Amino acid sequence: MSRSQELDEFKQTLGDLVEEAPELEQFSGFVESAEKTTVLDRKTKELLSLAIGVVTRCDHCILWHTDAALEAGATHDEIVDALKIAVVMGGGPAMTYAVDAYDTLRALEAERNE
């Protein structure tokens, strides 16, 4: 399964969960509100979210926000730079997740170039 397919499947399952547990809709609304581009642009917010996903060791966050950063126009080098900052803030454990994020980046870039 491609990383894009994995992300699509995760988003579908997330939607199913929110549908079955409508209390989660409030959190989803908060996320949408926080991600609006009133001060910081979308690309910057996605790079921040990716770095935080690496530091908090969230595999799904890494996939979601790597994809979203690319969609927002982030370059390969900008994403790698965000990964460096994640390692600065998260140390050795973040380094291992930065490697995972780098693999995700390369896979998503390859899928976009097919």
Side-chain angles (χ1 to χ4, degrees), residues 47 51 75-88 105:
L47 291 169
T75 66
H76 179 95
D77 291 340
E78 288 170 329
I79 292 172
V80 170
D81 210 31
L83 296 178
K84 290 188 289 188
I85 296 304
V87 173
V88 166
L105 170 62

Side-chain angles (χ1 to χ4, degrees), residues 5-101:
Q5 290 170 323
E6 181 182 340
L7 180 58
D8 289 343
E9 186 175 294
F10 176 77
K11 287 180 178 181
Q12 178 62 49
T13 304
L14 176 61
D16 293 346
L17 174 61
V18 171
E19 187 175 305
E20 190 168 323
E23 302 83 0
L24 297 175
E25 188 64 43
Q26 290 179 339
F27 181 74
S28 295
F30 170 68
V31 170
E32 288 176 22
S33 171
E35 289 181 341
K36 287 186 179 165
T37 56
T38 54
V39 178
L40 295 175
D41 62 88
R42 182 170 172 242
K43 179 174 74 171
T44 300
K45 286 189 175 194
E46 291 302 339
L47 291 169
L48 286 166
S49 294
L50 173 58
I52 292 166
V54 167
V55 172
T56 61
R57 305 175 206 152
C58 176
D59 294 323
H60 288 104
C61 300
I62 290 168
L63 176 55
W64 187 299
H65 293 292
T66 301
D67 181 72
L70 288 168
E71 287 293 318
T75 66
H76 179 95
D77 291 340
E78 288 170 329
I79 292 172
V80 170
D81 210 31
L83 296 178
K84 290 188 289 188
I85 296 304
V87 173
V88 166
M89 298 305 294
M95 177 73 116
T96 66
Y97 281 82
V99 170
D100 292 342

